[in-house]
Amino acid sequence: MNKELTALNEVFSQLSPSERIAELFEYFEAKDVLFTSSFGTTSAYLLHLMSTIRPEKEVHFLDTTYHFEETIAYRDSLVKQLGLKIVEILPDPTQNTLTKKEKMWIEDPDLCCMVNKIVPIDAVKVDYKVWITGLMGYQTHFRSGMNLFDDSQGIIKFNPLIDVLPTMVKEYFKEHQLPEHPLKAKGYHSVGCTHCTLKGKGRQG
């Protein structure tokens, strides 16, 4: 990790999540900051913070075309409740159609992800210097080792919620009357594409 990121991690580690978001724009211009959301089960936390602190900031949403109907409905309800400005990211239509035709998620799920997730988001990332994510350290062993700021293939990944705890998320949802993802009540604690998501605690699904 370079000295700049080390210094940023030291400064921002002393701040609350809301303070971190506000302070980020003291270091980087808004036009250089990319904000994405999957509208998953914990996404409303960061979406609410951003809508309060930087309401003009656009939210990029990667529509793989494989989302649950409930996820799209949840996205639309949060857009209305929080006044979000959505920018859709879509995969190449020809390649996306091919993944459907060949049911690529069965034979080659990594290639399916490459076509519908990685390539589309990579094409957007090149226009920005910093990428705000809603990753939380408790979600997986890998994420538990992440910093507030990490270098990620040429872009700085900013994880303002990386050290929050499940209890903090629950309390934030309750305090701000944020709706839960409709699939959470059905046992889905992590929600992605329909073909690759199962019921399960944490990221087990």
Side-chain angles (χ1 to χ4, degrees):
M1 183 181 299
N2 62 42
K3 292 182 179 179
E4 178 188 7
L5 294 188
T6 299
L8 285 171
N9 279 310
E10 290 177 356
V11 171
F12 280 69
S13 65
Q14 308 301 316
L15 307 177
S16 68
S18 59
E19 291 171 335
R20 290 167 182 170
I21 292 170
E23 190 68 10
L24 180 74
F25 294 93
E26 297 297 321
Y27 287 81
F28 299 94
E29 294 185 45
K31 66 180 181 61
D32 294 326
V33 177
L34 170 66
F35 174 40
T36 63
S37 179
S38 65
F39 287 85
T41 56
T42 59
S43 295
Y45 188 156
L46 184 56
L47 287 165
H48 182 270
L49 281 175
M50 287 293 294
S51 69
T52 303
I53 299 164
R54 301 289 296 197
E56 74 282 3
K57 189 63 185 171
E58 296 172 330
V59 185
H60 283 72
F61 173 68
L62 176 59
D63 187 353
T64 62
T65 73
Y66 289 112
H67 286 294
F68 285 90
E69 290 181 4
E70 290 89 343
T71 296
I72 300 302
Y74 186 55
R75 177 200 65 184
D76 293 345
S77 69
L78 286 175
V79 165
K80 184 176 181 180
Q81 179 178 342
L82 303 178
L84 306 175
K85 300 174 182 177
I86 295 293
V87 176
E88 282 198 339
I89 304 172
L90 290 164
D92 177 88
T94 301
Q95 294 183 358
N96 175 254
T97 299
L98 184 62
T99 64
K100 289 183 170 69
K101 181 179 179 181
E102 298 188 358
K103 295 185 177 180
M104 198 175 288
W105 58 87
I106 298 175
E107 298 297 329
D108 196 342
D110 288 341
L111 182 57
C112 190
C113 280
M114 177 65 71
V115 168
N116 294 302
K117 295 173 69 175
I118 299 174
V119 170
I121 196 69
D122 280 352
V124 174
K125 282 161 50 180
V126 296
D127 295 325
Y128 297 90
K129 295 179 180 178
V130 185
W131 179 13
I132 303 177
T133 82
L135 302 182
M136 300 175 184
Y138 72 83
Q139 293 170 329
T140 68
H141 178 70
F142 174 75
R143 292 180 181 182
S144 67
M146 297 178 71
N147 298 300
L148 287 166
F149 291 90
D150 275 314
D151 180 50
S152 178
Q153 300 177 331
I155 193 169
I156 298 171
K157 188 173 282 189
F158 176 47
N159 312 302
L161 307 183
I162 201 66
D163 53 0
V164 303
L165 301 174
T167 53
M168 296 167 64
V169 177
K170 185 176 181 179
E171 289 169 0
Y172 193 91
F173 268 66
K174 183 178 181 180
E175 179 184 355
H176 298 284
Q177 300 181 320
L178 297 173
E180 296 281 5
H181 193 294
L183 289 178
K184 189 173 180 180
K186 298 180 180 181
Y188 293 86
H189 286 254
S190 179
V191 180
C193 295
T194 54
H195 301 296
C196 301
T197 301
L198 300 173
K199 295 179 181 180
K201 293 285 186 179
R203 296 283 294 179
Q204 292 177 0

